[in-house]
Amino acid sequence: MLCTEVLDALEPIAAGELTPDDRIAAHLASCPHCAAALEDARRLEQILQARPMPRAPAQFTSRTMARVRRARWRTEQFLDLGFNVTLGLVLLAILGSVWLVLHRSGLVAVSNDAVALLGTGLVTLARRVAPTVPLYAGATALLVTALGIWWWAERELT
Amino acid sequence: MQVVNERELVERCRLGDERAFEELVDRFKDLVFGLIARTVQDRSRAEDLAQDVFLRIHRGLPYFRGEARLSTWIYRIVANVCAQDQAPREAMVSLDDDRMSGRSMPSVSDRRFSDLELRDRLEKAIVRLPANYRLLIAAHYLDGARYEELAEALQLPLGTVKTQLYRAKQQLRRMLETELK
Ligand SMILES: [Zn+2]
């Protein structure tokens, strides 16, 4: 049996995880080099097992908790910022779409001509407003979505 | 460690109970710090990294579903933190090169090292191991982690864990050849 084969088996033997078979035992009995290496392996196993266990420093928990709190605070700040920016954008979009609706439907003019319109009757108003219904629906949907996001974000954060 | 208490603790942590997390830190600090301090020699660096581990635990707890044991999950986080840390540091390891390379062989009378000296040599030799071997040695001899648990934590086949541990010890034995006599 070759020394290299035996040398590869020394660690499991030293750890008590492998019982040397007859061939290995015979080699170990006759080869002083391998026998000495096994002794080394056993000694190493011993000092590894006796290796002192480093203990955490006294203030470890409090220092760790301080870092955890700082990290949490930073996350909250970040979420707050993100939430506010999102909300701002959504409001901007709503205002934009409302402006668009008023502009396209000519309702700005309507409010100016309100008195006159009352005179010409509701039929005219309905006729003028009817084509802009999809736009109103769009704006409403946007508003509902924005409120939904707001509600969801509030729920997530609390 | 009682499994029931562990689950309860995790649940309380998930609900944002700060006291519960503090208890978790207290419970696992020696395991986490011990593992890291055995792979990183600088104590203050080890503390920083151990704190990093707990920050990750804090962030990750909402996603910890409890299929694995908490300690196994923590081992895995330690392994990741150590792996990320070791890359730039590998070159900074200071070595007692004279002894290690055997350029100045100790005389026969010097060969009997006291246990303390031997332990010191051992630590220096361990630092020279590849990072994954270092962690394996640290974890295996700490807290008596079973091979199966190590394999699960490191996401390696059981056979690989065993082989790597044997190889790590073989390398150590060769590095310490003169001192072990
Ligand atoms: Zn031999």
Side-chain angles (χ1 to χ4, degrees):
Chain A
M1 190 171 205
L2 288 171
C3 287
T4 46
E5 278 178 78
V6 177
L7 289 173
D8 275 343
L10 293 185
E11 270 61 40
I13 294 173
E17 287 156 14
L18 178 76
T19 317
D21 59 26
D22 291 347
R23 290 188 328 141
I24 295 179
H27 182 94
L28 284 170
S30 63
C31 174
H33 175 67
C34 287
L38 178 59
E39 275 318 297
D40 286 356
R42 287 201 168 119
R43 182 107 170 82
L44 179 66
E45 193 66 35
Q46 270 173 12
I47 57 167
L48 279 172
Q49 263 159 22
R51 211 175 158 207
M53 152 101 166
R55 293 184 65 88
Q59 300 297 309
F60 183 83
T61 305
S62 56
R63 286 199 287 258
T64 303
M65 288 312 290
R67 269 188 73 184
V68 166
R69 279 184 212 111
R70 270 205 304 279
R72 184 190 272 175
W73 182 79
R74 249 182 264 127
T75 313
E76 275 166 12
Q77 294 294 102
F78 181 75
L79 279 179
D80 266 2
L81 181 72
F83 176 70
N84 290 335
V85 167
T86 312
L87 198 67
L89 287 175
V90 168
L91 280 174
L92 214 65
I94 292 171
L95 287 176
S97 57
V98 167
W99 176 82
L100 202 69
V101 167
L102 291 176
H103 188 76
R104 287 267 226 99
S105 64
L107 276 184
V108 183
V110 171
S111 63
N112 287 340
D113 301 341
V115 181
L117 263 172
L118 277 174
T120 52
L122 287 168
V123 182
T124 321
L125 176 68
R127 207 181 291 147
R128 286 177 80 175
V129 164
T132 65
V133 164
L135 271 173
Y136 282 112
T140 311
L142 208 59
L143 186 66
V144 168
T145 311
L147 288 173
I149 290 173
W150 193 341
W151 171 80
W152 172 82
E154 283 289 344
R155 212 182 48 138
E156 283 293 299
L157 286 176
T158 51
Chain B
M1 190 163 304
Q2 308 98 313
V3 179
V4 180
N5 276 352
E6 194 176 285
R7 250 180 223 160
E8 208 180 283
L9 192 65
V10 169
E11 205 40 54
R12 277 168 55 209
C13 288
R14 268 205 221 150
L15 293 171
D17 182 343
E18 207 170 85
R19 293 285 301 273
F21 191 73
E22 200 168 339
E23 200 181 315
L24 186 142
V25 174
D26 243 354
R27 218 185 255 197
F28 288 98
K29 66 181 177 186
D30 284 330
L31 174 75
V32 170
F33 182 81
L35 270 176
I36 294 174
R38 276 183 170 186
T39 53
V40 179
Q41 286 208 311
D42 178 359
R43 265 185 82 87
S44 70
R45 181 82 199 127
E47 181 172 353
D48 271 355
L49 290 176
Q51 287 177 2
D52 287 349
V53 167
F54 283 108
L55 283 177
R56 286 199 193 192
I57 293 173
H58 189 259
R59 272 203 304 270
L61 268 173
Y63 311 102
F64 175 70
R65 293 284 171 238
E67 305 99 3
R69 284 179 59 194
L70 187 57
S71 55
T72 308
W73 183 58
I74 292 176
Y75 272 126
R76 197 176 301 167
I77 296 177
V78 170
N80 288 339
V81 166
C82 285
Q84 276 171 18
D85 177 66
Q86 60 88 25
R89 292 183 61 82
E90 208 78 310
M92 294 164 61
V93 170
S94 82
L95 289 175
D96 191 352
D97 274 324
D98 265 8
R99 279 270 201 246
M100 287 307 178
S101 62
R103 253 180 280 148
S104 65
M105 289 293 285
S107 66
V108 180
S109 60
D110 284 342
R111 282 189 185 178
R112 285 231 163 265
F113 280 80
S114 72
D115 262 13
L116 209 66
E117 281 173 297
L118 183 53
R119 248 184 256 153
D120 183 50
R121 294 279 167 232
L122 175 70
E123 295 306 324
K124 288 200 168 95
I126 287 174
V127 170
R128 298 184 74 198
L129 290 175
N132 55 330
Y133 283 8
R134 234 159 37 214
L135 186 70
L136 269 178
I137 291 275
H140 182 62
Y141 289 98
L142 191 88
D143 206 35
R146 289 170 304 114
Y147 285 122
E148 289 80 4
E149 198 175 0
L150 281 178
E152 197 188 335
L154 303 172
Q155 290 169 307
L156 289 171
L158 189 62
T160 310
V161 169
K162 283 189 183 180
T163 315
Q164 288 194 350
L165 253 168
Y166 295 147
R167 276 200 199 124
K169 286 194 268 187
Q170 202 172 51
Q171 283 189 21
L172 284 177
R173 173 161 59 79
R174 284 181 185 148
M175 283 191 256
L176 296 169
E177 211 165 6
T178 31
E179 286 88 345
L180 283 167
K181 295 278 181 286

